[in-house]
Amino acid sequence: MYVFSIVIEKGAKDSLKKLPKKTRRIIVLKILELAEDPFPGGNKERPECPHPPAVYRLHVSRSFTIFYIIEHEESIVKVEKIMTIEKTHKEYSRRYVPQTIIFRS
């Protein structure tokens, strides 16, 4: 029984096409599981997001990250990006590095 529909955006589709068949199958199975539970226990994270919609991420096999948005009103899970863990860390660790706080007495 599916509660949410899955929409895979063009960028994510392009990323999937470039992957080996076995890897693609594993990732697609994880994406399909989001239809039944868009908040899978233990593997989902919600990065800090100052403006809606919130982007969630799901780690797959310690090798890939799926970024997705949940549209509750339409019951849709939109897969926005699929990236390797290494690429994710390079791209997002730069964006979300907290600024150094200096305390002066």
Side-chain angles (χ1 to χ4, degrees):
M1 177 180 93
Y2 293 133
V3 177
F4 287 83
S5 298
I6 302 290
V7 174
I8 302 176
E9 298 293 340
K10 184 181 180 338
K13 281 182 189 176
D14 293 343
S15 297
L16 272 175
K17 289 177 185 177
K18 295 176 185 174
L19 298 174
K21 192 173 184 178
K22 182 178 178 183
T23 303
R24 186 176 33 216
R25 182 178 48 84
I26 292 167
I27 291 174
V28 168
L29 288 174
K30 288 295 183 185
I31 291 171
L32 292 175
E33 288 176 9
L34 292 173
E36 291 183 25
D37 181 12
F39 304 101
N43 278 338
K44 69 111 181 49
E45 297 179 25
R46 183 176 173 180
E48 291 296 320
C49 187
H51 306 288
V55 177
Y56 293 85
R57 61 185 172 202
L58 175 67
H59 297 287
V60 179
S61 303
R62 297 183 184 180
S63 299
F64 292 90
T65 305
I66 300 169
F67 291 88
Y68 63 99
I69 295 171
I70 302 168
E71 294 184 358
H72 293 279
E73 297 81 28
E74 293 86 18
S75 296
I76 294 174
V77 172
K78 282 188 178 179
V79 177
E80 298 288 326
K81 287 185 184 180
I82 300 169
M83 302 170 72
T84 64
I85 291 290
E86 294 83 14
K87 188 172 179 182
T88 300
H89 287 167
K90 285 179 186 174
E91 185 169 328
Y92 290 97
S93 62
R94 279 187 264 133
R95 287 187 188 176
Y96 297 111
V97 174
Q99 299 210 357
T100 306
I101 299 173
I102 300 173
F103 293 98
R104 297 180 189 203
S105 16

